[in-house]
Amino acid sequence: MQVRSLLLLLALILVAAAAEAGKNKKEKTKKDVSKCEDWHWGPCVPNSKDCGLGYREGTCKDESKKLKCKIPCNWKKKFGADCKYKFESWGGCSAQTGLKTRSGTLKKALYNAQCEETVYVTKPCSSKIKSKSKAKKGKGKD
């Protein structure tokens, strides 16, 4: 009978300890939540080189935080990865410059980024002749 009582008491102590440990975990996660609403975020800074995983720092009054972020390695645009644009179709090739141009209008600015309303991008014109025109030229020679 005493062994049963001892085992029951031990079980109650273990249950109480587990409940207290769970309560401490909940309290820790609640401490991370900030009441501050006016966060100012910096740009994503890669851990190495100019792309890949990194972090961005944010400040609000006396608080500061770091968030994980990622810059795609194919991201070479001047206007940054936090500014999202909707782009038009590519324009025709300029004979003077040898470039195609298109514009994009701002769709979304992430993390309070300072973004331009309209951006312009260029790329070299394709020097390849389309395969249809090659096929037509080839047929004419035979």
Side-chain angles (χ1 to χ4, degrees):
M1 188 80 155
Q2 289 179 354
V3 174
R4 273 189 180 167
S5 300
L6 187 59
L7 287 175
L8 182 60
L9 181 62
L10 183 61
L12 287 173
I13 291 172
L14 288 175
V15 168
E20 188 64 31
K23 193 183 292 185
N24 287 339
K25 285 183 183 177
K26 287 180 183 177
E27 287 175 6
K28 285 181 184 177
T29 57
K30 285 183 182 178
K31 287 180 184 176
D32 291 343
V33 176
S34 173
K35 293 181 181 178
C36 191
E37 295 178 7
D38 191 27
W39 284 93
H40 296 283
W41 296 97
C44 184
V45 178
N47 293 332
S48 63
K49 299 186 181 180
D50 60 348
C51 64
L53 294 176
Y55 66 93
R56 77 174 71 245
E57 292 184 1
T59 58
C60 184
K61 297 180 184 174
D62 294 337
E63 296 182 55
S64 64
K65 284 186 184 181
K66 280 188 178 181
L67 293 179
K68 292 179 183 177
C69 61
K70 183 177 179 182
I71 297 177
C73 288
N74 63 353
W75 195 262
K76 304 292 183 196
K77 297 184 175 73
K78 296 176 188 176
F79 39 87
D82 290 335
C83 301
K84 304 297 180 188
Y85 292 91
K86 178 160 177 64
F87 284 93
E88 297 175 358
S89 299
W90 287 102
C93 183
S94 169
Q96 295 172 340
T97 61
L99 298 172
K100 291 180 181 182
T101 305
R102 71 176 176 170
S103 64
T105 55
L106 184 63
K107 188 168 67 170
K108 184 188 281 188
L110 303 174
Y111 297 100
N112 303 329
Q114 300 297 316
C115 303
E116 295 180 42
E117 285 296 319
T118 305
V119 293
Y120 298 92
V121 291
T122 59
K123 73 176 183 178
C125 298
S126 174
S127 60
K128 296 179 183 177
I129 301 172
K130 292 185 178 178
S131 59
K132 289 182 181 178
S133 59
K134 280 185 178 178
K136 288 179 183 177
K137 288 181 182 178
K139 288 181 182 177
K141 288 183 180 179
D142 288 348

